[in-house]
């Protein structure tokens, strides 16, 4: 346990930041921007190729070597398409929404550590491979990533279309639900690292990755990150069978491309954050680090970093190629009733275990009593779910769910004119005989 | 503040790129007026009227939004505790467990009342 409680500090710490000259900052910003754009083009190609292989197809292979330029061709094609602003749209918000969505996606990468301190070629300037770091870097990522949700919900609302509105609302509800589980999973990492700065969290994982000692938090994070990025099997905001395209149904041309860009950058961001917090960031995998001294020096860490990011990207694609889409209520139940209680219990458990490890003068009896209290709380937390689970089962047995009891949670009443003011009245037919078909189902 | 200023460089780049993209697509794309194309997309039928101009739509997501705020504030309280965990020792742990207990009570109550159910 010594390795756990006293991590070996390697690599840059917070003191290494804020010393760059203006041109170094600009160079790093331009590089990060370029890497993200190229990575998005590559990831779209990568996803299409891998999914194609999983479905016994070939995938794009015409434009460029192995079809690598396919995404670029698609981007150019989108730029040459008509830029449609629907007549019902709120024009200002409609145009602003893709910008609000894509800018935070880029900005979050400012604090992701790509590697240790390196010398810029042809100069003797030494700088960390990270634009900047701050004492609250991980919180910065979470906060900025949340701003992207505004882009989605505003885009959905401003389109003036029912599908867009529903898609936008679903998307925001989904993202905030899984953000809670994600945030709780990160607490145990902060606890072990003793810091919220990304470079220091990477440094704290010099000899043991948090993904191994905090495996449950890692698993919760990985599940939550798939929900957070609206990817299969949690891609409900874009469920084609229900919502057409979701919040970007009405978007076309480069505005649509910006939403697409934001989605793929967000995938890279959560993967990079998972790498940083759980898989040792830019540190070389154990075996390589042991046999090769220089594995963690110079520009080699970029290889390990992007290798780990692509591992997560492959998982994203793999999930999409394997799993069907979840139902919305199952999805929300899973987030609120499974992930969050487990994450809460895990946080308390980790805190107790950590304290027992670092407190040497410890009385065994008080340990037992404390553990008893904690277990009691956990049992209480687990007992309440069993009520909900029992009722869930009862409800799923009857497909026609009965009306809620009088004491149910309040839901705002529908306006008297129906779901939407001024909506067309429901279809009625002259002959009142039994008619099969959807019209009948709607009336009943 | 030195640590935060480099973010502005990336912000400016990203904003410039996004605004440029939105602006350039109006220039590069064709513009052919078509009333049906500018209508909302609704599977080819006449679109349902929208609640713009003071109408309201029942949004059931409000319980999710409120619960999210409670939990998000809770996480904000847990972060500084986690960072200074080793110094705070038992005092910090007991305080946080009591705090979590309160939150869990409210959470259990909401669960029991069906606030987390989706129908």
């Amino acid at each position: 346990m010594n390795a756990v409680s006293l991590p070996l500090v390697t690599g840059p710490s917070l003191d290494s930041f804020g010393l760059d000259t203006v041109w170094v900052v600009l160079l790093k910003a331009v590089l990060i921007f370029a890497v993200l754009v190229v990575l998005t083009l590559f990831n779209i190609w990568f996803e299409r190729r891998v999914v194609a292989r999983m479905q016994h197809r070939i995938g794009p292979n015409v434009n460029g070597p192995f079809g690598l330029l396919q995404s670029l061709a698609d981007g150019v094609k989108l730029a040459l398409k008509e830029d449609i602003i629907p007549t019902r749209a709120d024009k200002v918000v409609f145009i602003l929404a893709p910008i609000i969505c894509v800018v935070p996606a880029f900005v979050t990468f400012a604090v992701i550590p790509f590697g240790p301190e390196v010398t810029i070629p042809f100069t003797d300037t030494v700088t960390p491979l990270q634009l900047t770091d701050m004492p609250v870097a991980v919180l910065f990522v979470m906060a900025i990533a949340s701003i992207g949700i505004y882009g989605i919900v505003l885009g959905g609302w401003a389109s003036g279309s029912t599908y867009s509105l529903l898609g936008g609302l679903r998307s925001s509800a989904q993202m905030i639900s899984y953000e809670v589980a994600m945030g709780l999973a990160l607490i145990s990492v902060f606890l072990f690292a003793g810091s919220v700065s990304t470079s220091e969290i990477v440094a704290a994982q010099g000899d043991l990755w948090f993904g191994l000692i905090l495996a449950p938090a890692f698993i919760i994070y990985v599940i939550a990150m798939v929900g957070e990025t609206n990817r299969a099997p949690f891609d409900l905001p874009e469920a084609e069978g229900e919502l057409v395209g979701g919040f970007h149904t009405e978007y076309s041309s480069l505005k649509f491309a910006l939403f697409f860009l934001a989605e793929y950058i967000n995938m890279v961001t959560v993967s990079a954050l998972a790498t940083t917090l759980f898989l040792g960031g830019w540190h070389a995998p154990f075996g390589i680090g042991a046999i090769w001294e220089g594995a963690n020096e110079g520009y080699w860490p970029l290889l390990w970093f992007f290798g780990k990011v692509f591992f997560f990207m492959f998982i994203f694609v793999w999930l999409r190629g394997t799993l069907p889409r979840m139902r919305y209520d199952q999805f929300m139940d899973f987030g609120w009733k499974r992930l969050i209680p487990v994450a809460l219990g895990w946080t308390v458990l980790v805190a107790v275990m950590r304290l027992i490890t670092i407190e040497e003068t410890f009385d065994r009896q008080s340990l037992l009593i404390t553990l008893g209290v904690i277990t009691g709380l956990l049992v209480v937390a687990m007992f309440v779910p069993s009520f909900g689970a029992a009722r869930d089962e009862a409800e799923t047995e009857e497909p026609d769910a009965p009306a809620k009891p009088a004491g149910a949670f309040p839901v705002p009443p529908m306006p008297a004119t129906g779901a939407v003011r001024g909506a067309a009245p429901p279809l009625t037919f002259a002959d009142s005989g039994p008619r099969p078909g959807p019209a009948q189902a709607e009336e009943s | 503040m030195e640590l935060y200023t480099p973010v502005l460089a990336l912000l400016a780049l990203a904003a410039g790129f996004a605004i440029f993209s939105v602006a350039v697509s109006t220039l590069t794309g064709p513009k052919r007026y078509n009333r049906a194309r500018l209508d909302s997309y609704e599977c080819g039928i006449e679109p349902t009227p929208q609640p713009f101009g003071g109408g309201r739509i029942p949004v059931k997501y409000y319980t999710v939004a409120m619960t999210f705020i409670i939990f998000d504030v809770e996480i904000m309280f847990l972060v500084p505790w986690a960072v200074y965990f080793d110094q705070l020792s038992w005092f910090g742990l007991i305080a946080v467990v009591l705090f979590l207990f309160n939150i869990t009570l409210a959470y259990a109550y909401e669960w029991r009342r069906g606030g987390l159910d989706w129908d």
Side-chain angles (χ1 to χ4, degrees), chain A residues 14 17-18 25-26 29-30 32-33 79-88 90 95 99 102-103 106-107 109-110 131-136 139-140 157-163 165 169-170 173 176-177 179-180 183-184 187 190-191 194-196 244 249-250 253-255 258 261 328-329 332-333 336-338 340-341 344 347-348 351-352 354-355 358-359 362 370 374 377 381 384-385 387-388 391-392 404 407-415 419-424, chain B residues 1-35 37-43 45-72 74-94 96-98 100-101 103-105 107-119:
Chain A
L14 264 180
F17 293 92
V25 167
L26 288 178
V30 170
I32 289 175
F33 178 81
L80 298 176
K81 292 292 170 188
E82 184 171 355
D83 189 30
I84 297 171
I85 299 178
T87 37
R88 286 162 190 278
D90 184 313
I95 292 170
I99 300 175
V102 81
V103 169
F106 279 108
V107 172
F109 248 80
L131 181 58
T132 183
D133 197 3
M134 40 190 94
V136 291
L139 291 183
F140 172 81
W157 175 80
S159 297
S161 161
T162 320
Y163 292 121
L165 182 67
L169 286 176
R170 260 196 192 187
I176 62 176
S177 299
E179 202 170 299
V180 173
L184 283 172
I187 297 289
F190 303 152
L191 209 147
S195 173
V196 190
V244 192
T249 304
E250 301 287 350
S253 189
L254 280 180
K255 291 201 195 73
L258 286 186
L261 183 67
Y328 197 70
D329 59 328
M332 293 302 267
D333 274 5
W336 284 105
K337 298 183 179 174
R338 304 284 176 271
I340 289 174
L344 271 175
T347 307
V348 175
V352 173
R354 166 104 182 156
L355 207 49
I358 57 174
E359 294 275 310
F362 204 84
T370 323
I374 307 291
L377 286 179
V384 181
F387 276 113
R391 204 175 40 186
D392 283 352
K404 289 235 143 206
F409 217 82
V411 169
M414 294 277 268
V420 176
R421 179 174 292 174
Chain B
M1 216 46 206
E2 273 294 293
L3 293 174
Y4 295 85
T5 36
V7 173
L8 293 178
L10 198 56
L11 181 78
L13 261 177
F17 169 76
I19 293 167
F20 171 77
S21 301
V22 167
V24 84
S25 66
T26 58
L27 300 175
T28 51
K31 269 192 265 312
R32 284 185 292 272
Y33 178 76
N34 181 336
R35 196 186 69 85
R37 183 160 54 212
L38 294 179
D39 235 343
S40 302
Y41 179 81
E42 231 162 89
C43 307
I45 59 169
E46 284 286 305
T48 41
Q50 282 296 302
F52 275 166
R56 64 188 266 262
I57 5 153
V59 176
K60 280 207 302 186
Y61 298 84
Y62 82 101
T63 46
V64 175
M66 290 196 298
T67 321
F68 164 72
I69 289 171
I70 294 170
F71 273 99
D72 223 29
E74 175 198 350
I75 292 169
M76 285 307 107
F77 279 126
L78 290 183
V79 169
W81 162 73
V83 171
Y84 290 101
F85 180 77
D86 291 0
Q87 288 96 308
L88 289 172
S89 191
W90 283 107
F91 170 74
L93 180 69
I94 291 166
V96 160
V97 165
L98 285 176
L100 284 184
F101 180 69
I103 294 272
T104 312
L105 270 187
Y107 173 67
Y109 175 74
E110 191 190 347
W111 190 331
R112 202 72 186 86
R113 287 289 300 271
L116 303 177
D117 285 339
W118 206 266
D119 50 6

Side-chain angles (χ1 to χ4, degrees), chain A residues 178 223 234 326 330-339:
Chain A
Y178 277 63
I223 295 172
F234 302 147
M326 277 178 97
Q330 293 171 334
F331 170 77
M332 293 302 267
D333 274 5
F334 185 64
W336 284 105
K337 298 183 179 174
R338 304 284 176 271
L339 284 186

Side-chain angles (χ1 to χ4, degrees), chain A residues 233-286:
Chain A
F234 302 147
D235 55 345
L236 296 137
E238 290 152 44
E240 302 90 12
E242 304 164 22
L243 289 174
V244 192
F247 59 90
H248 54 54
T249 304
E250 301 287 350
Y251 279 91
S252 63
S253 189
L254 280 180
K255 291 201 195 73
F256 169 75
L258 286 186
F259 275 125
F260 216 69
L261 183 67
E263 183 183 330
Y264 275 82
I265 293 177
N266 281 334
M267 278 164 70
V268 178
T269 308
V270 289
S271 304
L273 202 59
T275 304
T276 305
L277 298 178
F278 292 104
L279 293 191
W282 43 263
H283 285 296
F286 305 115

Side-chain angles (χ1 to χ4, degrees), chain A residues 287-305:
Chain A
I288 298 170
I291 55 171
W292 177 22
E293 287 284 312
N296 286 325
E297 282 159 27
Y299 285 92
W300 285 110
L302 284 174
L303 181 69
W304 318 130
F305 178 80

